[in-house]
């Protein structure tokens, strides 16, 4: 299930055409937080291939201890992390004044989690595994 706010249907991202060319005109930095090293590596490769800089963190705590969030264009957060969840991380960042667009992703999808993610203010919700184009379209929407 892919759901992006502002799209007419939950499947809108699948039908969207490629990346917004304006996205490549300015530096794009995606902060990625996931406890799966393989996913982090894949996102870094995909991002780099499309001219997007990414900074990865294996936990919400690691991101909070760094100053990297200040460089973000958008955040790609796994919901189910070992410590602080992605949703709790988004809430903490929002409480501190963060306005960065957030894309949530999860392998454990259910209606309650989707609703909680949307209520936390995400612009996209991705169910793992997701297609490369779906992620790129979500990033494009986040930085538009």
């Amino acid at each position: 299930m892919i759901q992006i706010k502002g799209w007419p249907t939950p499947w809108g991202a699948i039908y969207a055409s490629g990346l917004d060319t304006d996205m490549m005109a300015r530096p794009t930095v995606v902060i990625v937080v996931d406890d799966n090293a393989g996913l982090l590596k894949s996102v870094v490769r995909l991002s780099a291939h499309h001219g997007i800089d990414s900074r990865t963190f294996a936990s919400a705590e690691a991101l909070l201890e760094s100053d990297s969030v200040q460089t973000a264009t958008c955040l790609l957060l796994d919901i189910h992390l070992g410590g602080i969840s992605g949703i709790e991380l988004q809430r903490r960042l929002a409480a501190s004044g963060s306005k960065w667009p957030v894309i949530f992703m999860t392998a454990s999808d259910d209606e309650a989690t989707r609703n909680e993610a949307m209520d936390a203010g995400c612009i996209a919700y991705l169910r793992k595994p997701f297609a490369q184009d779906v992620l790129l379209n979500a990033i494009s929407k986040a930085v538009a």
Side-chain angles (χ1 to χ4, degrees):
M1 170 86 162
I2 299 128
Q3 205 165 6
I4 299 180
K5 284 187 180 177
W7 289 82
T9 69
W11 302 103
I14 292 173
Y15 302 110
S17 60
L19 284 174
D20 180 350
T21 54
D22 289 340
M23 184 173 99
M24 297 305 154
R26 60 185 184 270
T28 300
V29 178
V30 178
I31 301 292
V32 187
V33 181
D34 198 302
D35 52 5
N36 179 322
L39 182 126
L40 292 175
K41 191 174 185 179
S42 295
V43 171
V44 167
R45 282 187 192 150
L46 178 65
S47 299
H49 181 73
H50 290 278
I52 301 167
D53 189 18
S54 57
R55 294 188 176 65
T56 62
F57 298 87
S59 70
E61 293 84 354
L63 174 61
L64 291 172
E65 291 172 6
S66 79
D67 61 355
S68 290
V69 75
Q70 302 304 322
T71 66
T73 305
C74 72
L75 306 171
L76 176 61
L77 307 176
D78 186 20
I79 291 176
H80 301 288
L81 298 165
I84 298 171
S85 74
I87 291 174
E88 178 60 25
L89 173 61
Q90 162 60 4
R91 287 184 178 135
R92 289 184 187 194
L93 292 171
S96 69
S98 167
K99 302 277 190 231
W100 293 285
V102 172
I103 302 164
F104 282 122
M105 57 185 166
T106 186
S108 302
D109 179 44
D110 60 55
E111 187 175 350
T113 302
R114 271 192 308 277
N115 291 338
E116 190 177 8
M118 291 298 175
D119 290 345
C122 70
I123 63 126
Y125 179 91
L126 308 178
R127 183 171 172 240
K128 296 177 191 176
F130 43 79
Q132 294 176 4
D133 288 346
V134 171
L135 176 58
L136 293 171
N137 286 328
I139 292 170
S140 179
K141 180 157 178 64
V143 301

